[in-house]
Structures are given as C-alpha cells and as structure tokens.
Amino acid sequence: MEESSQLNNSQEGEQVAFSAKMANAKNMAIILKSLHFKDVATFFITENGLKVTVEDCKCIQANAYLKKNLFDDFQFNEESLVFKLNMNILMDCLTIFGSNTANVGVATSLEMRYVGYGFPLQIILEENGVITECSIKTLESDEILDFEFCNNEVVNKIIMKSEFMKEAFSEIDVSSELLEIAMSPEPPYFKLSTFSSFGSTHIEYPKDSDMVEVFQCTETTKNKYRTALLKPSYKALALSSKVSIRTDNRGILSIQYMIRTDDGQNCFIEFFCSPEEEVDDPCGIGDEQEPNVARE
Amino acid sequence: MRFRAKVFEISSIHELEKVVSTVAKLVNKTCILRLCKDKVYFISVDRTLSGMQVWCCLQQAKFFDEYSLEGVTAEANEIYLELAPDNLMRAFRSAHNAKSIKIKLAKKHVPCLTVEIDLPSRSLSARSLVHDVPVHVVSRRLWKDYEEPAMPACQVSVELPPLKTLKTVLEKMKNISHIVTVSANNSGQLNIKVETDLVSVATFFRHLAQPNMFLRGDREPDADKFFSVRVDIKKLALFCNSQHITPQRVICNVADKSMLHLYFTHPCTTIQCFLPGTAAS
C-alpha cells in the first residue's frame, strides 16, 4: 500500500493528458453541487476548459461550463477527452475539508490531474498544510443527448436579473406537476402557470421592469414542463446573478445561469428541458425531431 | 455497600458534566461505573470484535469535596455499577447552576444512584431537584471482565492534529467506506485512507508532535517507515465527535496491524480508547 503522496511518485515533467489548478476549490464545488441531481456526470475536456453534463429521464440536461480562465493553471495535451465519474464520490472529495465556509480566509486549493484514458482522475486538495489526495476511477462515457437547440431557431428570449426569476419561482405552486411558461411579444409578456385539482394559478411579469435586460419575443408560445425535472435548476438559480430563458421552435427550454465566482470570474450553467407533449396533439409535432422526448 | 459523595465547587460540577458527556458519546448505551477509594472509572462494556473499548479514570479527590465509600467487602473495597451514562449526564446537566450536589447509592424500587441537586433560590426555602439514575450492581465474580485493557506494544506515537479537521475528513470518508486505514511514522506523519474499487482518498498530516510516554524499547530506526492499522471508521469518527472536554493533547498510538490506542488527558481525567484492527474489508 502506498503511503507517500502519489504526486511524489510521478516523475518530473511526466506528460499528462490534463492538469488544472484552482486556488479556491469552493468555486468548483459550488458549481458542481448544482449539477448533483444524479449519480453520474460526464466530463468533457478541451483546450477551452471543462464541461460537465448531467442528464435525467432523457428530458433534462444540465451542463456546467468551466472555462480555462476559471483556473489558475490549465494544461491540456490532447484533442478532447471524455469520461464519466460518480458524482457522489466526486462531491465528497471536493468537499473533504468541509462544505461550508466557516473558516473565512482559509482557502482550500485544488489540483486535478488526468494521466490519460484508462487512468483515474486525481484530485489533490490542500488546506492549512493538510493534503488530501483522491483517485477516482473514470468510466466509459455513454452518448449524451443532443437537444439540437439551435441558436438560429430561438423563438423567444428573455434575459433578466436572477432576483426576478427567484421571486417568480418562489411563488409558483410546487405541488403542481406541470409548469407552463408563456412568453409573448404581447401582454401578458411573461407568465408562469401551475395547475392542480383545486384550480390553476397564473403569475404575470412585466417586461418593462429594470430587472429585465433583454426581451426578444417573436411569437406567443406556451409550453408545459414537468416541475420535477426543473427542480434541480433551482440550485443554479440561487447561485446566479443573471438568467436567460429561451425557447426554440420545438418548445425546448434553455435556461442559462451566469454565476460569478469569488474572484470575479463568470461561468455558466445551462439547463435544457423538453416540453411535455399535449395528450390531445393529433399531429404529434416534434416527434420526428426529438425521438428522445419522454412520453407520459 | 455504601457510597456518598458531595460536590460544592461549581467548576467541578461542570467538569463532571463534561466527562460524563464524553463517556456517554463514546459508549454504546451503558457502561460500568467503578468506584474505588481514590479513583472513579467509567468502563465500556462493548466486547464485540470491532468494538471500541473505553477506559476513563478520574482522581476522585479532584472532583469531590466529600467522598465516602464502603465497598462490597473490606478487601474488595470497590463498587461496580452498570448504568446508562446518558442518564447521569442529564442529572449533571440539571446541576449546571447548582450550589452543590450530593450523590449516593440508594435502593428505591430498584438500586439507584441518587443525585440530589441543591439549586439557588430567592426565597428562604431551599430548592432542590432529585435525579434517580437506575443502576445494576455488578457482582464481584464478574469484575474480572472489566479490567483495564492491556496497552498494546506500539511502534509509533503521534499527537493528533486538531480534531475538527480530522472529524470533517472522516465524515466524508464515511460515505466511501466503513474501514479506514490509519498510518503513522516516527517523523511525525499521520495518514488516514479509505479505499474501494472506485476511489481512494488519503489525507496526509505532517509535522505532528511525538510524545515519548508510550513507546517502550527502542524506537524504530527508520523514521519514515509507516505502521498502520485498519479500524472501523464510524468508531473513529465517534471518538472525534465525542470530545466535550477540550483535551490538552490527544495521543494516537499505532500497534502495527493490531490496534489503535487513543489517549487523552485533562488535568484530573484520562480517557483511553482501544480500537482493534480489523482484517475484514
């Protein structure tokens, strides 16, 4: 059993496929925590940075983009790399020294190393002179969904300050199975509706508020989404300062959250969600385009 | 068999409360309270294979202002009582602002350790509170089951790093495996590690002090050589969580592949925990 640090054992200048350093591990931990709604996540590494993807039910996909400028050092020596990791283990490792920031002024530094295909992901954390080394087995990645959300086919787009959205989401009925999002160039411009056996609630939001930065709606759209699927996005909403909501011509929802880290860098988390098909939709619009949309 | 004791110093009452709270956290529901002429012991009863054995010893004179003991016989001048330390802890907690407490062995419906608490009162009449802690008197022929565990031959002895860090790390490691490997060497290094098929996590502590009091014979010449033992992680985490006393030092002794011995001392109390090494994975 190896007692000494694994790092000491590797040779100087050994070429690894990927390595990165971050002065404050908390930045990464917080972002990945909002993606922690499934056991497994897929990691994509390119020369531009890291993308972490988590999916559920083939209807929702969350992506966290950690660009290379978020890191204090970022070395990448391949074309691209993909692997899967167990999220439960990863989060335990990233927060090994504790997940709260009780110790103000004490930062946990983070270093990641990936030798290459077939090797585990090594994560090294240091706090106050104590070092923890984690070696997490990587798994083969499966195909992930491509929602084919085309920027050219965006029908409606709203960019707003997150407080606005937080307020909106805090008022909706969480026991409702479905959430309907209506966006329109005409009033009501932005409306959230929930439905239950007792009736329905509708909340309307103005477009003229200074909370709304961009309002580009080309047509009236109404789409229903399963609230259970949207729930994981609330963690990202809580961290964010700005939010963009877009729907395309198939009703696919794209929510992008902009998060500002402690050192003033921006990073993004994006959620894609398929709309719930109307049961009485005779044409089955959207069937050909997204065979992955789940049916009730 | 008779036992009566009194405490008048509020600081001693608080110390007793802390000691009993620590013991209550370390043992599994019940323990043995052994009363002797000069010393009071709390002894755990867990005899399972992976069980942690706890041995806590107080110098009676430093806590009690009055102490009178008549043991089972003149030669065996001791009393062994089995009780739930949680009950005793609650009694001491009620005495947090007491003027004095009186403890005595009594027979009510069942044998009890009665704690009479004299509370401050604004009126002329005194205010008192009584806790009856049920006890089971342990017969003399069973006393040999509760002897002090033998100190294992240790190869290395280090002072533990701040328990807070150790506790946090162990809490996360608990999610990964139920066995943790504790290793230390004579260069003041301590490592704790968990390992499964999917992951291995190891935390390295450096520059720890190395007390001399436990090492017998010559120290291992190779100061970098590690000695390890695999123990139940829940028990180790329990130990780190239990410290109500702010210990001055917690010493960790490793008996290679066989036992982890944790020792800490506070002015008038010593607590030892013996964690056996486990072969099971």
Side-chain angles (χ1 to χ4, degrees):
Chain A
M1 173 181 56
E2 273 179 25
E3 284 306 336
S4 48
S5 158
Q6 289 176 44
L7 282 190
N8 292 338
N9 287 342
S10 60
Q11 286 150 7
E12 283 293 326
E14 178 188 309
Q15 191 80 312
V16 296
F18 162 64
S19 77
K21 291 189 185 153
M22 199 182 250
N24 192 350
K26 187 186 116 186
N27 290 332
M28 184 143 170
I30 280 186
I31 291 161
L32 291 186
K33 197 160 167 221
S34 47
L35 254 68
H36 190 193
F37 55 92
K38 292 297 280 183
D39 290 339
V40 174
T42 305
F43 277 67
F44 298 87
I45 313 180
T46 65
E47 57 180 4
N48 294 321
L50 224 59
K51 177 172 103 155
V52 183
T53 300
V54 176
E55 293 183 333
D56 194 10
C57 301
K58 296 197 182 298
C59 297
I60 182 154
Q61 180 185 86
N63 298 303
Y65 295 92
L66 297 148
K67 290 226 154 77
K68 72 186 271 193
N69 61 3
L70 218 61
F71 296 90
D72 296 300
D73 189 53
F74 191 94
Q75 306 289 335
F76 187 63
N77 297 310
E78 301 275 317
E79 294 254 323
S80 74
L81 282 174
V82 185
F83 52 78
K84 272 198 330 200
L85 276 189
N86 181 307
M87 268 301 249
N88 304 325
I89 291 177
L90 177 66
M91 292 314 297
D92 276 333
C93 291
L94 286 177
T95 57
I96 195 87
F97 288 117
S99 32
N100 61 12
T101 43
N103 298 327
V104 178
V106 175
T108 306
S109 73
L110 164 73
E111 186 180 333
M112 292 193 290
R113 283 174 104 238
Y114 183 60
V115 173
Y117 178 76
F119 283 82
L121 178 69
Q122 292 171 292
I123 298 183
I124 299 114
L125 299 117
E126 180 179 340
E127 185 181 287
N128 278 338
V130 182
I131 295 174
T132 295
E133 286 184 15
C134 314
S135 182
I136 310 177
K137 189 166 174 175
T138 55
L139 308 163
E140 290 285 348
S141 69
D142 306 317
E143 284 249 347
I144 65 153
L145 293 176
D146 182 354
F147 278 71
E148 289 172 359
F149 191 91
C150 185
N151 291 333
N152 297 339
E153 308 284 352
V154 172
V155 170
N156 288 329
K157 169 164 130 176
I158 306 179
I159 298 182
M160 64 186 100
K161 294 214 169 69
S162 296
E163 294 102 275
F164 198 54
M165 181 122 161
K166 281 175 201 170
E167 213 183 282
F169 273 76
S170 68
E171 283 166 4
I172 62 172
D173 175 12
V174 292
S175 64
S176 166
E177 205 184 304
L178 295 175
L179 170 71
E180 183 185 82
I181 299 180
M183 299 200 271
S184 171
E186 274 154 46
Y189 302 102
F190 179 47
K191 183 168 90 166
L192 298 179
S193 308
T194 52
F195 313 92
S196 72
S197 46
F198 302 109
S200 52
T201 42
H202 307 279
I203 313 173
E204 294 172 12
Y205 296 90
K207 74 166 177 134
D208 297 326
S209 160
D210 51 1
M211 290 283 196
V212 176
E213 291 185 12
V214 169
F215 192 92
Q216 286 168 6
C217 292
T218 62
E219 49 182 82
T220 302
T221 58
K222 267 192 206 177
N223 289 293
K224 291 192 170 83
Y225 305 93
R226 265 192 270 166
T227 47
L229 292 179
L230 289 178
K231 196 154 166 247
S233 71
Y234 300 170
K235 267 192 204 152
L237 175 61
L239 295 172
S240 66
S241 51
K242 249 196 241 195
V243 134
S244 135
I245 304 184
R246 301 178 301 164
T247 50
D248 71 356
N249 56 355
R250 299 161 300 162
I252 303 226
L253 180 68
S254 149
I255 314 182
Q256 294 176 323
Y257 299 99
M258 185 177 90
I259 295 167
R260 205 165 187 82
T261 62
D262 279 350
D263 33 359
Q265 303 273 14
N266 285 331
C267 72
F268 295 88
I269 298 183
E270 160 185 75
F271 278 77
F272 288 116
C273 191
S274 310
E276 284 301 283
E277 300 264 319
E278 294 292 341
V279 175
D280 53 13
D281 179 356
C283 310
I285 289 174
D287 268 1
E288 301 93 58
Q289 280 129 318
E290 330 112 79
N292 289 323
V293 170
R295 291 205 166 255
E296 291 284 24
Chain B
M1 257 195 314
R2 262 174 46 110
F3 173 68
R4 295 175 97 87
K6 284 193 186 152
V7 187
F8 301 123
E9 285 289 329
I10 191 69
S11 57
S12 304
I13 295 176
H14 291 167
E15 280 306 307
L16 276 171
E17 190 191 325
K18 285 186 201 159
V19 171
V20 179
S21 300
T22 304
V23 170
K25 283 231 166 141
L26 285 172
V27 304
N28 188 16
K29 297 202 187 109
T30 63
C31 70
I32 302 288
L33 171 62
R34 175 183 166 194
L35 301 163
C36 307
K37 187 160 140 296
D38 301 318
K39 299 212 170 119
V40 169
Y41 299 88
F42 287 95
I43 305 165
S44 69
V45 298
D46 188 351
R47 302 281 137 164
T48 63
L49 218 53
S50 66
M52 178 164 69
Q53 300 199 46
V54 181
W55 182 269
C56 168
C57 174
L58 288 91
Q59 291 181 53
Q60 161 271 108
K62 301 282 170 105
F63 291 88
F64 298 98
D65 295 293
E66 281 174 28
Y67 187 95
S68 145
L69 173 76
E70 262 175 44
V72 173
T73 66
E75 308 88 54
N77 192 23
E78 299 184 4
I79 301 177
Y80 282 59
L81 301 169
E82 183 168 355
L83 51 70
D86 271 334
N87 292 338
L88 196 56
M89 177 183 76
R90 267 181 240 125
F92 285 128
R93 208 170 268 169
S94 309
H96 202 76
N97 296 316
K99 291 200 303 200
S100 70
I101 58 173
K102 184 158 74 182
I103 306 172
K104 60 183 187 197
L105 187 57
K107 178 104 186 271
K108 302 213 169 164
H109 296 292
V110 288
C112 284
L113 208 56
T114 299
V115 182
E116 282 172 25
I117 303 166
D118 190 16
L119 293 165
S121 158
R122 290 218 197 93
S123 67
L124 286 173
S125 54
R127 200 157 68 93
S128 75
L129 186 58
V130 177
H131 277 259
D132 288 324
V133 176
V135 300
H136 167 75
V137 180
V138 179
S139 72
R140 199 162 144 213
R141 61 187 164 79
L142 295 175
W143 289 8
K144 59 178 170 34
D145 289 347
Y146 302 109
E147 283 171 359
E148 184 171 356
M151 178 68 207
C154 302
Q155 292 81 20
V156 62
S157 179
V158 292
E159 209 173 290
L160 284 184
L163 286 185
K164 189 158 159 277
T165 311
L166 201 50
K167 187 173 95 164
T168 311
V169 170
L170 284 172
E171 283 302 312
K172 299 285 171 172
M173 284 183 169
K174 247 166 60 170
N175 297 334
I176 293 170
S177 167
H178 57 272
I179 302 270
V180 63
T181 304
V182 179
S183 318
N185 69 12
N186 283 304
S187 300
Q189 300 179 339
L190 174 77
N191 303 339
I192 55 174
K193 180 173 181 174
V194 285
E195 192 163 15
T196 66
D197 290 340
L198 287 179
V199 63
S200 87
V201 181
T203 300
F204 303 90
F205 297 93
R206 296 281 171 271
H207 312 301
L208 301 171
Q210 300 209 257
N212 274 317
M213 58 192 288
F214 288 103
L215 296 177
R216 292 174 218 147
D218 297 322
R219 220 176 246 215
E220 163 68 43
D222 179 2
D224 291 332
K225 182 172 170 185
F226 278 94
F227 296 95
S228 345
V229 60
R230 286 153 54 91
V231 296
D232 182 329
I233 200 173
K234 285 212 184 84
K235 299 270 160 55
L236 187 58
L238 193 66
F239 175 83
C240 295
N241 274 327
S242 69
Q243 301 314 306
H244 285 253
I245 310 177
T246 335
Q248 295 173 330
R249 317 203 295 186
V250 182
I251 299 173
C252 166
N253 301 313
V254 178
D256 197 42
K257 298 188 183 57
S258 103
M259 191 173 298
L260 195 66
H261 178 245
L262 299 157
Y263 175 93
F264 66 93
T265 164
H266 197 243
C268 320
T269 317
T270 64
I271 299 190
Q272 297 181 65
C273 295
F274 298 80
L275 254 182
T278 163
S281 52

